[in-house]
Amino acid sequence: MQVIKILMIMCTVVDDSNRLDLFSRGKFVVLFDSKNREILFKEENPALNSSTKRPLVAKECVRLRAEMVIAAHGSLCYPSYSILRKANIKMLVGNIGDSIYTENLRAVSKWEVTYSSFLAIKERLFGH
């Protein structure tokens, strides 16, 4: 049986080595083709200079017309989740430091959104 990979335009935040990173800390926002494993667009993470870090990344992924977002564990606070959900963008969660092409992804749960929201509040109050 042959596995058929379907082209999907994905958005995420990465470090210098194209490994998953928190929306609030990663150096770049990337748009990539999941089928051909090709980065289509890469820009500096606009959230690094903003007070609304995670939601700004979500808005950027919507602006870039991503079909799916891979969020590193701790990235999907409630506002980010809501922005992506309202735009009908699929979401998956990966581990910080994993390759953007990892298959070790999981569905978003209410616990992920809760954890990410608490982490966002902590970062706002106390910094990184």
Side-chain angles (χ1 to χ4, degrees), residues 111-123:
W111 304 114
E112 176 65 34
V113 175
T114 302
Y115 170 77
S116 300
S117 297
F118 280 120
L119 186 59
I121 292 166
K122 180 183 161 236
E123 284 180 2

Side-chain angles (χ1 to χ4, degrees), residues 2 19 28-29 31-32 35 40 48 53-55 63 67 70 83 88 91 93 98 108 115 118 120 124-125:
Q2 181 181 2
R19 302 224 167 254
F28 301 102
V29 173
L31 205 59
F32 66 98
K35 181 179 180 185
L40 305 170
L48 295 176
K53 296 183 180 298
R54 288 166 176 81
R63 186 187 73 77
E67 297 170 302
I70 298 175
I83 290 164
N88 291 316
M91 296 168 266
V93 177
D98 282 355
V108 177
Y115 170 77
F118 280 120
R124 265 198 149 180
L125 293 174

Side-chain angles (χ1 to χ4, degrees), residues 40-99:
L40 305 170
F41 178 78
K42 187 175 192 175
E43 69 179 356
E44 284 190 32
N45 185 353
L48 295 176
N49 301 315
S50 172
S51 61
T52 58
K53 296 183 180 298
R54 288 166 176 81
L56 187 59
V57 170
K59 288 176 187 175
E60 187 65 5
C61 289
V62 170
R63 186 187 73 77
L64 293 171
R65 298 180 184 208
E67 297 170 302
M68 180 176 284
V69 167
I70 298 175
H73 176 57
S75 293
L76 276 179
C77 65
Y78 186 76
S80 298
Y81 172 80
S82 296
I83 290 164
L84 295 169
R85 189 168 157 235
K86 187 175 184 178
N88 291 316
I89 295 176
K90 296 170 185 73
M91 296 168 266
L92 292 172
V93 177
N95 297 315
I96 294 171
D98 282 355
S99 164

Side-chain angles (χ1 to χ4, degrees), residues 12-14 18-20 30 32 39 70 98-102:
T12 194
V13 173
V14 297
N18 289 334
R19 302 224 167 254
L20 295 177
V30 295
F32 66 98
I39 293 179
I70 298 175
D98 282 355
S99 164
I100 59 174
Y101 306 115
T102 185

Side-chain angles (χ1 to χ4, degrees), residues 6-17:
I6 298 172
L7 171 67
M8 184 164 289
I9 304 300
M10 304 177 91
C11 183
T12 194
V13 173
V14 297
D15 61 14
D16 287 323
S17 302

